[in-house]
Amino acid sequence: DYVNRMKQYIEDNPGKEVYRGSGWELKTNPDARMLDSISPDVPVILNSVDGHSLWINTAAMQKFGIDKEYCDKMGHNIARIREDGTPSGYLSETAMAKVLSQLHPTKEEIKQGLLKWQEFAFAHGFTAASECFVNMYGEQGIEAYRELVSEDKWKLRTYGVYCIDENEKDVNGKLQHLVLDAPVREGLAHEGDILPGSHLQAEILQNRLAGQI
């Protein structure tokens, strides 16, 4: 039960400004009020298992500006409202951007999350994984991977997608610091080591939405 698990996490980790989690399935029929029951004042943000949807509570909607006007603008198929016209707390695809763009986890928080994921993956027999948006939180996401590799803590073979704005003019310049072993041709994808000999591979796509394809 997702709500009970988050309730336990919140009780075990008091004092956070925002609580985050992931893994819920769309059949859950999420509503902000379900999360309000366990966290009425502190924002709760939960990613769906496929990464394409968010389930947030009322405190999160207030903090990040998710109101009826925003839902009307984005469309109710990706920013759902209730029968009474109020936002439900369910966002998907581009409607998630207003929330995600305002989240700024530290590099250490990203590293801790990656190590938790690696532990889970190995415990369940996974030796490789795909990261669909390695720069979701900017360059510190890449730096988190770099540091874990240099510290010899990152063992999971990871195929990452680094997304670039489709209006970016200087693709090679943007990626010069990222891919070290081969040039990148504008508009095309290329595989390469982010760190020579590391377990982290990169696919470079000149399209902000590439991470969700």
Side-chain angles (χ1 to χ4, degrees), residues 5 9 16 26 32 45-46 55 59 64 70 79 83 95 103 115 117 136 140 143 165 167 191 195-196 202 206 213:
R5 289 187 180 184
Y9 179 77
K16 287 184 175 290
L26 297 180
I45 302 169
L46 305 180
W55 175 11
F64 299 111
Y70 179 75
E83 290 185 0
L103 296 177
L115 290 175
W117 156 241
M136 175 180 289
Q140 63 183 353
E143 290 304 315
D165 193 292
N167 297 315
E191 292 183 28
L195 286 176
Q206 191 183 7
I213 293 175

Side-chain angles (χ1 to χ4, degrees), residues 85-159:
T86 58
S88 70
Y90 171 87
L91 304 170
S92 67
E93 304 299 355
T94 53
M96 302 189 299
K98 189 169 186 177
V99 175
L100 295 177
S101 65
Q102 297 181 69
L103 296 177
H104 304 289
T106 66
K107 183 168 57 179
E108 286 304 313
E109 288 174 331
I110 296 173
K111 289 172 68 174
Q112 291 174 15
L114 288 171
L115 290 175
K116 281 286 187 181
W117 156 241
Q118 178 174 251
E119 179 183 352
F120 174 88
F122 286 156
H124 291 79
F126 294 99
T127 59
S130 179
E131 165 68 273
C132 290
F133 199 168
V134 294
N135 56 319
M136 175 180 289
Y137 301 114
E139 297 304 306
Q140 63 183 353
I142 297 296
E143 290 304 315
Y145 274 110
R146 285 184 188 273
E147 289 189 9
L148 289 175
V149 170
S150 66
E151 295 165 0
D152 199 30
K153 294 179 180 179
W154 193 251
K155 306 297 183 180
L156 182 69
R157 185 165 294 280
T158 304
Y159 190 85

Side-chain angles (χ1 to χ4, degrees), residues 162-164 168-194 202-207:
Y162 185 97
C163 297
I164 301 175
E168 177 64 49
K169 301 300 182 182
D170 184 16
V171 176
N172 281 311
K174 180 76 174 179
L175 299 171
Q176 186 175 10
H177 69 291
L178 180 69
V179 180
L180 305 179
D181 67 342
V184 178
R185 289 178 293 167
E186 187 167 346
L188 299 178
H190 180 81
E191 292 183 28
D193 284 336
I194 288 182
E203 177 183 350
I204 312 304
L205 297 177
Q206 191 183 7
N207 188 331

Side-chain angles (χ1 to χ4, degrees), residues 63-81:
K63 180 178 179 64
F64 299 111
I66 307 301
D67 53 18
K68 185 179 184 302
E69 182 179 355
Y70 179 75
C71 292
D72 291 343
K73 175 184 176 181
M74 299 306 298
H76 298 160
N77 59 324
I78 61 173
R80 292 179 186 169
I81 61 172

